[in-house]
Amino acid sequence: DRKGQNMPTKELPPDLTSLIESLPPIIPRCKIEEYLPGLISRGYLANLDSSGQGPKKIRIGSKVGYLRSDLMDWLVRRIHHVS
C-alpha cells in the first residue's frame, strides 16, 4: 500500500507479517474463512458485531466487510500466547 495506508496501526508480531501481506485491502465477512481458515467464522464475526465486540466494519450495500488494518488490529489485540 502507498505510504502504509490500510496497514495495522499496532506493531504486528513478526510471524503475522506474511498473513497481512496475503490479505486483500477489504475482507468480506462472507469470505473470512478463506483467509483465516479454522480461526474465525463469519457467524462468529456476525455475533461479535451485533454485540459491538467485533472489528470495525464497513458496509457496501447489504454486504459487510473489514478493512485489513481494522481486522488485523482487532486480531492482534485478541492474541493470547499459551505455554
Side-chain angles (χ1 to χ4, degrees), residues 1 4-6 8 11 20 22 24 35 38 40 48 51 53 55-56 61 65-66 68 70 72-74 76 78 81 83:
D1 289 307
Q5 291 177 346
N6 200 21
E11 188 67 28
I20 191 164
S22 72
Y35 297 108
I40 300 174
L48 289 175
S51 65
Q53 298 177 17
K56 189 173 165 182
Y66 307 94
R68 174 178 48 207
D70 293 335
M72 291 307 298
D73 283 346
W74 175 82
V76 166
R78 296 180 63 87
H81 293 279
S83 40

Side-chain angles (χ1 to χ4, degrees), residues 13-71:
D15 52 342
L16 293 180
T17 302
S18 61
L19 171 62
I20 191 164
E21 290 172 353
S22 72
L23 294 174
I26 298 174
I27 298 99
R29 181 193 292 155
C30 65
K31 303 276 186 187
I32 195 71
E33 290 139 339
E34 291 178 26
Y35 297 108
L36 299 171
L39 292 177
I40 300 174
S41 71
R42 63 183 175 185
Y44 178 65
L45 280 177
N47 288 340
L48 289 175
D49 285 347
S50 69
S51 65
Q53 298 177 17
K56 189 173 165 182
K57 64 184 174 188
I58 60 171
R59 188 175 293 277
I60 302 172
S62 63
K63 303 294 182 185
V64 173
Y66 307 94
L67 295 177
R68 174 178 48 207
S69 57
D70 293 335
L71 180 65

